[in-house]
Amino acid sequence: MFYLSKIVWLVAQPLSLVFLAILLALLLSLAGWRRSGFLFSSLAALMLFVTLYTTTGNVLLQRLENQAVRPQQHPASVSCIIMLGGAIENDVMDARGGIEFNAAADRYTQTVNLALKYPHAKLIVSGGDGSFSGRYEGEAKATEGFFADFGITAERLIKENSSRNTFENSANTKDVLSANGLADCLLVTSAFHMPRAMALFAKMGISVVPYPVDYRTTGKTSLSFDFTQPSLNAQNMATAVREWLAIIAYRLAGRTK
């Protein structure tokens, strides 16, 4: 399932679909089926326009981000804070050393903030090597020094270093919680990722309080043209499509209710 999802995403992401539509249009035209070739080239142009020059991706992403909100008031106390991985650049770190974060760095900064606010809470970092090659050491292991730099002791840190995707995050974290006698934790992950994560944790019978971070949209975006930031529009479209496809796939596979 893990490798299949990686392969499917290589093909299903918006710009890959545009490329495949153009390639098919070229092949059809060379074969003499010019009308069909024109149809697929027009489809490619339409997909590219929607991806680059409309707010469609932002609206799709925003719908996910608006589903879960942070607690209006912080709980008086929590026994643990669960942070889902997915915020580091494995290939850059492997080549240059140190810790390099991607756009989801808020997962770490907000987790540190919560860990300092709740000094007695355990901190569970759930994330292994989610790459196709599987040659990296795993996110929980690679970033343990980051928390130490902020005074979070090794006794508080629980590293779940084998998860490759969100389903494995929830399954492996369930085992960690059971082994350590922990319950009713805060769950930290990107806001667009929170609905899928919460659904998986609920399916596992794990009660958590969502603490979404890493917002990518304003929450008030409406569907319109946007010629000012095509690269960002494309990035948000890819993120949104990937997340919605994952939600659908997990539901069809029976991994969520």
Side-chain angles (χ1 to χ4, degrees), residues 88-100:
I88 65 170
E89 295 291 347
N90 276 308
D91 50 349
V92 177
M93 288 171 57
D94 186 57
R96 296 182 178 274
I99 298 176
E100 296 296 333

Side-chain angles (χ1 to χ4, degrees), residues 111-234:
T111 295
V112 167
N113 183 46
L114 289 170
L116 296 176
K117 183 176 183 62
Y118 298 105
H120 301 294
K122 293 288 187 180
L123 177 56
I124 301 173
V125 181
S126 179
D129 180 8
S131 69
F132 203 101
S133 65
R135 67 185 182 88
Y136 302 109
E137 64 177 337
E139 185 161 348
K141 175 64 176 176
T143 60
E144 60 183 343
F146 173 82
F147 296 101
D149 289 341
F150 290 89
I152 300 171
T153 62
E155 291 75 22
R156 294 183 61 192
L157 189 62
I158 302 174
K159 300 184 292 293
E160 189 287 290
N161 203 48
S162 59
S163 298
R164 299 172 299 174
N165 55 33
T166 311
F167 173 74
E168 292 179 1
N169 283 143
S170 61
N172 295 341
T173 299
K174 181 179 181 179
D175 294 337
V176 170
L177 293 174
S178 178
N180 290 273
L182 299 171
D184 299 321
C185 305
L186 290 176
L187 178 63
V188 180
T189 190
S190 299
F192 68 84
H193 183 236
M194 187 62 79
R196 178 159 59 108
M198 288 293 294
L200 285 164
F201 274 73
K203 181 73 171 180
M204 293 287 175
I206 306 171
S207 176
V208 291
V209 176
Y211 198 91
V213 299
D214 177 33
Y215 287 88
R216 311 286 176 92
T217 69
T218 64
K220 301 177 182 179
T221 302
S222 58
L223 192 62
S224 64
F225 297 115
D226 181 7
F227 299 99
T228 65
Q229 48 184 12
S231 59
L232 181 59
N233 289 337

Side-chain angles (χ1 to χ4, degrees), residues 1 5 20 23 48 51 57-58 69 75 77 90-91 102 105 133 136 149 159 166 170 181-182 214 228 237 240 255-256:
M1 185 69 174
S5 67
L20 291 174
L23 180 61
L48 192 60
T51 297
N58 296 295
V69 295
S77 63
N90 276 308
D91 50 349
N102 57 33
S133 65
Y136 302 109
D149 289 341
K159 300 184 292 293
T166 311
S170 61
L182 299 171
D214 177 33
T228 65
M237 175 70 91
R255 289 182 168 181
T256 60

Side-chain angles (χ1 to χ4, degrees), residues 57-95:
N58 296 295
V59 170
L60 290 172
L61 204 59
Q62 178 176 270
R63 176 136 187 219
L64 292 169
E65 292 186 338
N66 289 348
Q67 288 189 34
V69 295
R70 296 178 187 174
Q72 290 186 347
Q73 293 184 337
H74 284 83
S77 63
V78 296
S79 63
C80 75
I81 302 160
I82 304 168
M83 189 204 76
L84 304 187
I88 65 170
E89 295 291 347
N90 276 308
D91 50 349
V92 177
M93 288 171 57
D94 186 57

